[in-house]
Amino acid sequence: MASRGEQVQANVLVALLAHGKPTSAYKIMRDLQDGQPKIAPPTIYRALAALVEQGKVHRLESLNAFVACQCAHHDHPAILSICDDCGAVEETVAPKLLNQLTRLTKKSGFAAMRHIIEIHGRCASCKNAGAQS
Amino acid sequence: MASRGEQVQANVLVALLAHGKPTSAYKIMRDLQDGQPKIAPPTIYRALAALVEQGKVHRLESLNAFVACQCAHHDHPAILSICDDCGAVEETVAPKLLNQLTRLTKKSGFAAMRHIIEIHGRCASCKNAGAQS
DNA sequence: TGAGTTATGTTATAACATAACATAACAAGC
DNA sequence: GCTTGTTATGTTATGTTATAACATAACTCA
Protein backbone atom coordinates (compact mmCIF):
# COMPACT_ATOMS: atom_id res chain seq x y z
CA MET A 1 0.00 0.00 0.00
CA ALA A 2 1.13 3.50 -0.81
CA SER A 3 2.48 5.44 2.11
CA ARG A 4 0.78 8.68 3.03
CA GLY A 5 3.63 10.57 1.45
CA GLU A 6 3.31 8.73 -1.84
CA GLN A 7 -0.40 9.44 -1.85
CA VAL A 8 0.22 13.16 -1.45
CA GLN A 9 2.81 13.05 -4.22
CA ALA A 10 0.31 11.36 -6.52
CA ASN A 11 -2.32 13.98 -5.72
CA VAL A 12 0.13 16.81 -6.29
CA LEU A 13 1.19 15.32 -9.61
CA VAL A 14 -2.42 14.99 -10.71
CA ALA A 15 -3.06 18.60 -9.81
CA LEU A 16 0.00 19.72 -11.75
CA LEU A 17 -0.96 17.65 -14.78
CA ALA A 18 -4.46 19.08 -14.63
CA HIS A 19 -3.05 22.57 -14.93
CA GLY A 20 -0.48 21.73 -17.57
CA LYS A 21 1.21 25.03 -16.81
CA PRO A 22 3.49 26.44 -14.15
CA THR A 23 1.66 26.31 -10.86
CA SER A 24 2.70 27.61 -7.49
CA ALA A 25 2.91 25.41 -4.45
CA TYR A 26 0.13 27.37 -2.81
CA LYS A 27 -2.17 26.97 -5.80
CA ILE A 28 -1.62 23.23 -5.63
CA MET A 29 -2.34 23.33 -1.94
CA ARG A 30 -5.65 25.08 -2.55
CA ASP A 31 -6.49 22.45 -5.15
CA LEU A 32 -5.83 19.60 -2.74
CA GLN A 33 -7.71 21.33 0.03
CA ASP A 34 -10.93 20.48 -1.81
CA GLY A 35 -10.57 16.93 -0.61
CA GLN A 36 -8.22 17.44 2.33
CA PRO A 37 -8.97 20.77 3.95
CA LYS A 38 -6.20 20.69 6.54
CA ILE A 39 -3.23 20.06 4.26
CA ALA A 40 -0.43 22.53 5.01
CA PRO A 41 2.47 24.05 3.06
CA PRO A 42 5.22 21.75 4.35
CA THR A 43 3.30 18.71 3.13
CA ILE A 44 3.06 20.21 -0.35
CA TYR A 45 6.70 21.25 -0.41
CA ARG A 46 7.83 17.81 0.73
CA ALA A 47 5.82 16.15 -1.99
CA LEU A 48 7.16 18.57 -4.59
CA ALA A 49 10.73 18.01 -3.44
CA ALA A 50 10.28 14.26 -3.83
CA LEU A 51 8.71 14.64 -7.27
CA VAL A 52 11.50 16.94 -8.42
CA GLU A 53 14.03 14.43 -7.07
CA GLN A 54 12.34 11.72 -9.13
CA GLY A 55 12.37 13.91 -12.21
CA LYS A 56 8.60 13.89 -12.48
CA VAL A 57 8.29 17.58 -11.81
CA HIS A 58 10.42 20.57 -12.73
CA ARG A 59 10.84 23.55 -10.56
CA LEU A 60 10.82 26.85 -12.40
CA GLU A 61 13.23 29.00 -10.45
CA SER A 62 12.39 32.14 -12.33
CA LEU A 63 8.69 31.82 -11.55
CA ASN A 64 8.80 30.13 -8.17
CA ALA A 65 6.47 27.55 -9.61
CA PHE A 66 6.34 23.93 -10.71
CA VAL A 67 5.34 21.96 -13.82
CA ALA A 68 4.82 18.27 -14.39
CA CYS A 69 7.56 16.82 -16.55
CA GLN A 70 6.18 16.22 -20.01
CA CYS A 71 8.48 13.43 -21.08
CA ALA A 72 8.80 11.18 -18.06
CA HIS A 73 11.52 9.00 -19.53
CA HIS A 74 14.62 11.16 -19.32
CA ASP A 75 17.14 11.66 -16.58
CA HIS A 76 18.82 14.65 -18.13
CA PRO A 77 17.96 18.01 -16.71
CA ALA A 78 15.74 19.87 -19.11
CA ILE A 79 16.05 23.21 -20.79
CA LEU A 80 12.78 24.98 -20.10
CA SER A 81 11.31 27.49 -22.54
CA ILE A 82 8.70 29.62 -20.88
CA CYS A 83 6.18 31.67 -22.82
CA ASP A 84 5.65 34.97 -21.01
CA ASP A 85 2.31 35.40 -22.77
CA CYS A 86 0.46 32.17 -22.12
CA GLY A 87 2.70 30.52 -19.57
CA ALA A 88 3.28 27.38 -21.62
CA VAL A 89 6.51 25.56 -20.90
CA GLU A 90 8.40 23.44 -23.36
CA GLU A 91 11.13 21.03 -22.37
CA THR A 92 14.19 20.42 -24.46
CA VAL A 93 16.86 17.87 -23.69
CA ALA A 94 20.33 18.69 -24.91
CA PRO A 95 23.01 16.79 -23.02
CA LYS A 96 25.72 18.11 -25.30
CA LEU A 97 24.89 21.66 -24.48
CA LEU A 98 24.94 20.89 -20.77
CA ASN A 99 28.34 19.29 -21.21
CA GLN A 100 29.55 22.41 -22.97
CA LEU A 101 28.39 24.45 -20.02
CA THR A 102 30.08 22.11 -17.59
CA ARG A 103 33.34 22.31 -19.55
CA LEU A 104 33.11 26.06 -19.83
CA THR A 105 32.81 26.60 -16.11
CA LYS A 106 35.37 23.88 -15.41
CA LYS A 107 38.04 26.10 -16.94
CA SER A 108 38.20 27.98 -13.66
CA GLY A 109 37.97 24.81 -11.60
CA PHE A 110 34.24 24.92 -11.00
CA ALA A 111 32.55 21.54 -10.53
CA ALA A 112 29.03 21.78 -11.96
CA MET A 113 26.40 19.76 -10.13
CA ARG A 114 23.07 21.16 -11.26
CA HIS A 115 22.22 23.16 -14.36
CA ILE A 116 19.36 25.59 -14.38
CA ILE A 117 18.43 26.80 -17.84
CA GLU A 118 15.24 28.75 -18.27
CA ILE A 119 14.50 30.75 -21.37
CA HIS A 120 11.79 33.35 -21.38
CA GLY A 121 10.17 34.50 -24.59
CA ARG A 122 7.11 33.79 -26.66
CA CYS A 123 5.90 30.46 -27.91
CA ALA A 124 5.01 29.88 -31.55
CA SER A 125 1.27 30.32 -31.15
CA CYS A 126 1.47 33.49 -29.06
CA LYS A 127 4.00 34.93 -31.47
CA ASN A 128 1.59 34.32 -34.35
CA ALA A 129 -1.36 35.66 -32.41
CA GLY A 130 0.61 38.81 -31.65
CA ALA A 131 1.74 39.26 -35.25
CA GLN A 132 -1.75 39.17 -36.74
CA SER A 133 -3.30 41.60 -34.31
CA MET B 1 22.65 66.52 -9.01
CA ALA B 2 21.75 62.88 -8.62
CA SER B 3 18.06 62.21 -8.20
CA ARG B 4 16.93 60.48 -5.07
CA GLY B 5 16.47 57.29 -7.05
CA GLU B 6 19.99 57.36 -8.37
CA GLN B 7 21.27 57.89 -4.88
CA VAL B 8 19.45 54.81 -3.64
CA GLN B 9 20.80 52.83 -6.57
CA ALA B 10 24.33 53.92 -5.74
CA ASN B 11 23.86 52.94 -2.11
CA VAL B 12 22.42 49.57 -3.04
CA LEU B 13 25.30 48.92 -5.41
CA VAL B 14 27.82 49.80 -2.73
CA ALA B 15 26.13 47.43 -0.31
CA LEU B 16 26.17 44.65 -2.90
CA LEU B 17 29.82 45.24 -3.73
CA ALA B 18 30.67 45.23 -0.04
CA HIS B 19 29.22 41.75 0.29
CA GLY B 20 30.68 40.41 -2.93
CA LYS B 21 28.27 37.50 -2.68
CA PRO B 22 24.61 36.86 -3.37
CA THR B 23 22.61 39.07 -1.08
CA SER B 24 18.88 39.25 -0.59
CA ALA B 25 16.91 42.43 -1.08
CA TYR B 26 16.01 42.43 2.60
CA LYS B 27 19.62 42.07 3.67
CA ILE B 28 20.47 45.09 1.54
CA MET B 29 17.59 46.96 3.09
CA ARG B 30 18.89 46.25 6.57
CA ASP B 31 22.31 47.49 5.49
CA LEU B 32 20.91 50.74 4.18
CA GLN B 33 18.74 51.20 7.24
CA ASP B 34 21.88 52.03 9.19
CA GLY B 35 21.89 55.42 7.55
CA GLN B 36 18.28 55.65 6.46
CA PRO B 37 16.10 53.87 9.00
CA LYS B 38 12.80 54.27 7.21
CA ILE B 39 13.73 52.83 3.83
CA ALA B 40 11.15 50.28 2.73
CA PRO B 41 11.14 47.20 0.46
CA PRO B 42 9.66 48.86 -2.66
CA THR B 43 12.49 51.40 -2.66
CA ILE B 44 15.06 48.60 -2.60
CA TYR B 45 13.29 46.59 -5.27
CA ARG B 46 12.98 49.63 -7.53
CA ALA B 47 16.67 50.34 -7.21
CA LEU B 48 17.54 46.71 -7.86
CA ALA B 49 15.28 46.61 -10.92
CA ALA B 50 17.02 49.68 -12.33
CA LEU B 51 20.47 48.22 -11.63
CA VAL B 52 19.55 44.92 -13.24
CA GLU B 53 18.19 46.83 -16.22
CA GLN B 54 21.52 48.65 -16.50
CA GLY B 55 23.42 45.37 -16.28
CA LYS B 56 25.20 46.44 -13.11
CA VAL B 57 23.55 43.79 -11.00
CA HIS B 58 22.49 40.21 -11.67
CA ARG B 59 19.50 38.61 -10.15
CA LEU B 60 20.00 35.03 -9.08
CA GLU B 61 16.65 33.42 -9.71
CA SER B 62 17.57 30.20 -7.98
CA LEU B 63 18.54 31.99 -4.78
CA ASN B 64 16.15 34.93 -4.81
CA ALA B 65 19.17 37.13 -4.35
CA PHE B 66 21.33 39.66 -6.16
CA VAL B 67 25.02 40.15 -6.94
CA ALA B 68 26.93 43.09 -8.32
CA CYS B 69 28.14 42.44 -11.84
CA GLN B 70 31.85 41.78 -11.76
CA CYS B 71 32.70 42.86 -15.27
CA ALA B 72 30.70 46.02 -15.84
CA HIS B 73 31.55 46.31 -19.51
CA HIS B 74 29.45 43.64 -21.16
CA ASP B 75 25.92 43.66 -22.42
CA HIS B 76 25.58 39.94 -22.87
CA PRO B 77 23.63 38.07 -20.26
CA ALA B 78 25.99 36.12 -18.06
CA ILE B 79 26.21 32.49 -17.19
CA LEU B 80 26.38 32.37 -13.42
CA SER B 81 28.25 29.64 -11.57
CA ILE B 82 27.22 29.46 -7.97
CA CYS B 83 29.23 27.66 -5.31
CA ASP B 84 26.83 25.95 -2.93
CA ASP B 85 29.54 25.83 -0.29
CA CYS B 86 30.80 29.38 -0.04
CA GLY B 87 28.23 31.24 -2.12
CA ALA B 88 30.77 32.70 -4.51
CA VAL B 89 29.43 33.51 -7.95
CA GLU B 90 31.45 33.54 -11.12
CA GLU B 91 30.29 35.13 -14.34
CA THR B 92 30.99 33.71 -17.74
CA VAL B 93 30.09 35.32 -21.01
CA ALA B 94 29.45 32.98 -23.90
CA PRO B 95 27.34 34.56 -26.62
CA LYS B 96 27.78 31.54 -28.89
CA LEU B 97 26.27 29.26 -26.34
CA LEU B 98 23.33 31.58 -25.87
CA ASN B 99 22.82 31.62 -29.62
CA GLN B 100 22.85 27.85 -29.64
CA LEU B 101 20.13 27.87 -27.03
CA THR B 102 18.12 30.38 -28.98
CA ARG B 103 18.39 28.28 -32.13
CA LEU B 104 17.54 25.10 -30.27
CA THR B 105 14.31 26.47 -28.91
CA LYS B 106 13.52 28.21 -32.17
CA LYS B 107 13.05 24.81 -33.80
CA SER B 108 9.59 24.70 -32.29
CA GLY B 109 8.91 28.35 -33.07
CA PHE B 110 9.88 29.74 -29.70
CA ALA B 111 11.24 33.29 -29.70
CA ALA B 112 13.81 33.59 -26.91
CA MET B 113 13.97 36.94 -25.16
CA ARG B 114 15.85 36.32 -21.94
CA HIS B 115 18.22 33.52 -21.02
CA ILE B 116 18.63 32.43 -17.45
CA ILE B 117 21.58 30.13 -16.89
CA GLU B 118 22.61 29.33 -13.35
CA ILE B 119 24.90 26.47 -12.54
CA HIS B 120 25.19 25.17 -9.03
CA GLY B 121 28.23 23.26 -7.87
CA ARG B 122 31.48 23.84 -6.04
CA CYS B 123 34.07 26.40 -6.82
CA ALA B 124 37.74 25.49 -7.17
CA SER B 125 38.78 26.48 -3.67
CA CYS B 126 35.89 24.76 -1.92
CA LYS B 127 36.46 21.65 -4.00
CA ASN B 128 40.08 21.57 -2.90
CA ALA B 129 39.20 22.30 0.69
CA GLY B 130 36.74 19.43 0.63
CA ALA B 131 39.18 17.02 -0.98
CA GLN B 132 41.91 17.48 1.62
CA SER B 133 39.67 17.04 4.64
C1' DT C 1 5.83 -5.07 23.33
C1' DG C 2 8.75 -1.43 23.67
C1' DA C 3 12.85 1.39 22.26
C1' DG C 4 14.74 3.65 18.57
C1' DT C 5 14.14 5.63 14.10
C1' DT C 6 11.94 7.79 10.28
C1' DA C 7 7.94 9.90 8.11
C1' DT C 8 4.24 12.86 8.41
C1' DG C 9 1.28 16.41 10.46
C1' DT C 10 0.76 20.92 12.64
C1' DT C 11 1.68 25.46 14.18
C1' DA C 12 3.96 29.33 13.67
C1' DT C 13 6.77 32.45 11.50
C1' DA C 14 10.44 33.88 8.40
C1' DA C 15 11.61 35.65 4.01
C1' DC C 16 10.52 37.52 -0.48
C1' DA C 17 7.76 40.66 -3.32
C1' DT C 18 4.38 43.91 -4.84
C1' DA C 19 -0.32 46.39 -4.82
C1' DA C 20 -2.27 50.51 -3.76
C1' DC C 21 -2.24 54.79 -2.48
C1' DA C 22 0.05 59.37 -0.76
C1' DT C 23 3.20 62.82 -1.48
C1' DA C 24 6.77 65.37 -3.60
C1' DA C 25 9.40 66.93 -7.57
C1' DC C 26 9.46 68.56 -11.97
C1' DA C 27 8.00 70.50 -16.50
C1' DA C 28 4.96 73.09 -19.74
C1' DG C 29 1.72 76.34 -20.75
C1' DC C 30 -0.73 80.18 -19.29
C1' DG D 1 4.81 82.68 -10.68
C1' DC D 2 0.97 79.87 -10.55
C1' DT D 3 -1.58 75.79 -11.76
C1' DT D 4 -2.09 71.65 -13.95
C1' DG D 5 -0.57 67.39 -15.51
C1' DT D 6 3.01 63.89 -15.26
C1' DT D 7 6.53 61.17 -13.34
C1' DA D 8 9.28 59.68 -9.45
C1' DT D 9 9.52 58.44 -4.87
C1' DG D 10 7.81 57.39 -0.25
C1' DT D 11 4.68 54.80 2.72
C1' DT D 12 1.45 51.50 4.33
C1' DA D 13 -0.33 47.37 3.96
C1' DT D 14 -0.69 42.96 2.36
C1' DG D 15 0.08 39.08 -0.65
C1' DT D 16 3.00 35.19 -1.70
C1' DT D 17 6.58 31.79 -1.10
C1' DA D 18 9.15 28.84 1.97
C1' DT D 19 10.79 26.66 6.06
C1' DA D 20 11.83 26.16 11.22
C1' DA D 21 10.43 23.84 15.04
C1' DC D 22 8.05 20.80 17.32
C1' DA D 23 4.23 17.02 17.89
C1' DT D 24 2.50 12.82 16.62
C1' DA D 25 2.08 8.63 14.15
C1' DA D 26 3.99 4.77 11.71
C1' DC D 27 7.38 1.55 11.02
C1' DT D 28 11.38 -1.72 12.34
C1' DC D 29 13.51 -4.94 14.70
C1' DA D 30 15.16 -7.05 18.74
Side-chain angles (χ1 to χ4, degrees):
Chain A
M1 171 188 161
S3 71
R4 284 174 294 174
E6 284 163 350
Q7 187 57 55
V8 178
Q9 288 170 39
N11 294 343
V12 167
L13 191 52
V14 166
L16 275 174
L17 288 166
H19 281 99
K21 288 186 180 174
T23 308
S24 80
Y26 275 69
K27 182 80 181 67
I28 295 166
M29 183 175 70
R30 288 190 291 270
D31 290 345
L32 297 203
Q33 280 174 338
D34 277 357
Q36 206 175 341
K38 293 181 63 183
I39 202 165
T43 304
I44 303 295
Y45 280 100
R46 283 167 187 156
L48 286 168
L51 289 164
V52 168
E53 178 80 15
Q54 295 162 40
K56 293 180 184 169
V57 166
H58 298 292
R59 176 177 182 133
L60 295 155
E61 300 288 351
S62 59
L63 298 178
N64 293 326
F66 301 83
V67 272
C69 176
Q70 291 154 31
C71 45
H73 54 288
H74 66 70
D75 291 331
H76 299 289
I79 294 164
L80 300 167
S81 311
I82 303 161
C83 178
D84 290 329
D85 265 26
C86 70
V89 173
E90 186 176 8
E91 298 177 24
T92 310
V93 178
K96 284 183 185 171
L97 214 146
L98 296 185
N99 285 339
Q100 269 185 271
L101 272 172
T102 300
R103 282 200 305 276
L104 190 65
T105 57
K106 196 174 186 175
K107 285 180 186 168
S108 61
F110 187 86
M113 304 293 292
R114 173 178 164 230
H115 298 80
I116 297 165
I117 307 181
E118 298 180 9
I119 306 176
H120 284 255
R122 297 181 96 195
C123 70
S125 51
C126 286
K127 201 171 49 171
N128 293 338
Q132 74 189 171
S133 72
Chain B
M1 171 189 165
S3 70
R4 285 173 294 172
E6 284 162 350
Q7 189 56 56
V8 178
Q9 287 170 38
N11 294 343
V12 167
L13 192 53
V14 166
L16 274 174
L17 288 165
H19 281 99
K21 288 186 180 176
T23 307
S24 80
Y26 274 67
K27 182 82 182 66
I28 295 165
M29 182 175 70
R30 287 190 292 270
D31 290 347
L32 297 203
Q33 279 174 339
D34 277 357
Q36 205 175 340
K38 291 181 65 183
I39 201 164
T43 305
I44 303 295
Y45 279 101
R46 283 167 187 156
L48 286 168
L51 290 165
V52 168
E53 179 78 16
Q54 294 163 37
K56 294 181 183 168
V57 165
H58 298 291
R59 176 179 182 132
L60 295 155
E61 299 288 352
S62 59
L63 297 178
N64 293 326
F66 301 83
V67 273
C69 177
Q70 292 153 30
C71 45
H73 55 286
H74 65 69
D75 291 331
H76 299 289
I79 294 164
L80 301 166
S81 311
I82 303 161
C83 178
D84 290 329
D85 265 27
C86 68
V89 172
E90 186 176 8
E91 297 178 23
T92 312
V93 178
K96 284 184 186 172
L97 214 145
L98 295 184
N99 285 338
Q100 270 185 272
L101 271 172
T102 299
R103 281 199 306 277
L104 189 64
T105 56
K106 197 174 185 174
K107 285 180 187 170
S108 60
F110 188 85
M113 305 292 292
R114 175 180 163 228
H115 299 81
I116 298 165
I117 308 181
E118 298 180 11
I119 306 177
H120 285 256
R122 298 181 94 193
C123 71
S125 51
C126 286
K127 202 171 50 173
N128 293 338
Q132 73 189 171
S133 70

